[in-house]
Amino acid sequence: LIRYYADTDSFVGEYALSDESPDLLRNFPLLGDEAELRQHIHRHDLLMVGDLEKYLGQHPESRFAVPLVASGMRSLLCLPLYAHAQGIGMVCFESRQTQSFRASHLLLLEKVGSLLAASYEKWVLLREMASAIASGFSCLAEKKDLETGLHLKRITLYAALLANRLLDEGKFPGVLDLAFCRAIETFIPLHDIGKVGIPDAILCKAGKLTQEEFEVMKGHTLIGGDVLREAQQRIRMLGNNFFQVF
């Protein structure tokens, strides 16, 4: 799945599934200004490539074809997805054989295109809702204490950098993937949400905390844990896991 951002006219690889190439998306997350994909989004037509190696030779500037060829893919079929007449992304199918896709495949995709677009739109909406809720929660702590807000921004950047570096190095296979890295970046600010339950006299104290005050401050981890567990339990009643929406 490739997401299209109309405001910046750019593309980002969102999700990939392959039995033989589990790392297909590792070098495929950021496509940026991809002219060929943009043309097909704007023209409302499918993209079919019978020979990816040949295509890459003719289009050396193509960033989306490079990781596909490197992963052993030899043919490609992409269907643009639309919601409310606006392009939202593309669903792509690859094969290790050249010339794998036929007119029958095109006809099937065109028939199910609207269903795929509706499902993808819902998936994107859930992601954005989860991100907005996490951001809202973290802002509660930020509003009480400026240093907490700056700390959250620093920790988010550090965690995202470390997670992506570990992914690039191939660490924790089967656990660490692009979706996991994005989840870390989205939800890491929630680690200090419990500070909203700490009295302002302690949270915003300018000087050093006393031992008793420090014990109270450490309680923010328990408060935060209770808040997140309660949220998770309520969401699970609806058959979802808030912290694994994407």
Side-chain angles (χ1 to χ4, degrees):
L1 278 171
I2 300 174
R3 185 173 179 185
Y4 172 62
Y5 291 85
D7 55 343
T8 58
D9 205 18
S10 60
F11 298 84
V12 174
E14 290 280 7
Y15 180 77
L17 179 64
S18 171
D19 292 336
E20 299 182 3
S21 301
D23 297 330
L24 183 61
L25 197 60
R26 178 171 296 175
N27 297 316
F28 197 56
L30 182 60
L31 300 176
D33 183 14
E34 189 67 38
E36 182 71 7
L37 297 182
R38 187 193 310 109
Q39 289 177 12
H40 285 271
I41 282 278
H42 292 173
R43 291 198 307 247
H44 290 240
D45 62 359
L46 293 90
L47 169 63
M48 185 166 66
V49 179
D51 189 330
L52 276 169
E53 285 188 303
K54 183 177 180 180
Y55 176 88
L56 186 58
Q58 297 171 342
H59 303 82
E61 74 286 354
S62 175
R63 281 175 285 183
F64 82 91
V66 172
L68 294 178
V69 171
S71 298
M73 302 304 167
R74 293 299 176 261
S75 56
L76 169 73
L77 177 61
C78 289
L79 171 71
L81 302 177
Y82 302 89
H84 312 292
Q86 297 293 322
I88 59 173
M90 305 183 82
V91 59
C92 302
F93 300 88
E94 298 85 25
S95 171
R96 291 186 176 277
Q97 305 298 321
T98 60
Q99 310 298 334
S100 290
F101 302 104
R102 302 288 184 268
S104 58
H105 296 117
L106 299 178
L107 181 61
L108 175 62
L109 278 183
E110 288 176 342
K111 287 184 177 180
V112 301
S114 59
L115 295 177
L116 291 172
S119 297
Y120 185 53
E121 182 185 22
K122 180 180 178 182
W123 182 72
V124 169
L125 178 61
L126 287 174
R127 279 198 54 188
E128 292 180 345
M129 286 177 60
S131 179
I133 292 170
S135 177
F137 272 149
S138 62
C139 281
L140 292 175
E142 182 177 349
K143 295 299 183 183
K144 290 195 68 176
D145 176 32
L146 176 60
E147 178 53 34
T148 295
L150 296 175
H151 166 72
L152 293 177
K153 290 180 173 63
R154 290 194 297 267
I155 291 299
T156 298
L157 289 173
Y158 293 153
L161 287 171
L162 288 172
N164 282 283
R165 180 61 178 270
L166 291 172
L167 177 62
D168 290 340
E169 294 179 354
K171 305 293 185 181
F172 308 107
V175 176
L176 190 61
D177 55 19
L178 185 62
F180 192 92
C181 290
R182 289 175 177 167
I184 287 178
E185 187 172 1
T186 297
F187 295 115
I188 199 69
L190 295 178
H191 81 280
D192 265 348
I193 184 61
K195 287 185 177 179
V196 299
I198 302 301
D200 289 349
I202 295 177
L203 182 65
C204 303
K205 184 177 179 179
K208 182 179 179 180
L209 298 179
T210 66
Q211 185 60 41
E212 292 77 12
E213 291 171 334
F214 185 57
E215 291 301 319
V216 173
M217 177 65 83
K218 288 195 295 184
H220 82 274
T221 58
L222 301 177
I223 297 171
D226 289 341
V227 169
L228 298 180
R229 275 190 292 273
E230 176 67 19
Q232 189 169 6
Q233 288 173 3
R234 290 179 178 272
I235 293 297
R236 278 178 174 170
M237 293 178 185
L238 302 176
N240 294 289
N241 187 338
F242 176 78
F243 304 106
Q244 294 181 3
V245 171
F246 55 110

